[in-house]
Amino acid sequence: MRAYIGGHQAVSIDDFIELALGTPVELWLGEEGETEEERAARLDAARDILADNPGMADGTARVAAEVIEAYASDLFNITPLCRPASRREDARKAAAA
């Protein structure tokens, strides 16, 4: 099955991320072995993009948080803990006893 987003085929997870962000992932994370000059140019480009779209950082953080929340048990191999009963329920049970 092929996946297309806005007419662009997404083949890998990096393709989906790039299409969602509208920029390559490497722009934000950098690349191994980049020079100081390349890093400065990359960060300058990132600042320009954020200046043109000030809501991008908040939106990206929100989406990342939603993904982590939805897939936390798969990503981090954790088991959700049961939430304790509310104090009001504890008080009600104690009064009934």
Side-chain angles (χ1 to χ4, degrees):
M1 184 171 145
R2 295 181 181 178
Y4 289 89
I5 299 172
H8 300 283
Q9 184 178 5
V11 178
S12 68
I13 190 70
D14 287 343
D15 290 343
F16 281 103
I17 294 169
E18 184 173 335
L19 289 168
L21 291 175
T23 61
V25 175
E26 295 81 16
L27 176 68
W28 308 104
L29 302 179
E31 293 189 60
E32 190 174 323
E34 71 182 358
T35 65
E36 284 299 316
E37 187 176 277
E38 291 169 332
R39 182 177 188 274
R42 176 179 58 79
L43 293 176
D44 192 42
R47 276 190 287 279
D48 288 345
I49 290 170
L50 290 174
D52 291 344
N53 187 358
M56 183 179 189
D58 291 339
T60 302
R62 181 184 44 76
V63 169
E66 289 173 1
V67 168
I68 290 170
E69 183 177 18
Y71 297 101
S73 59
D74 297 334
L75 294 171
F76 304 112
N77 194 22
I78 61 169
T79 303
L81 298 175
C82 294
R83 293 186 176 181
S86 71
R87 291 183 182 152
R88 187 173 31 216
E89 287 180 27
D90 291 342
R92 188 169 20 125
K93 288 178 185 176

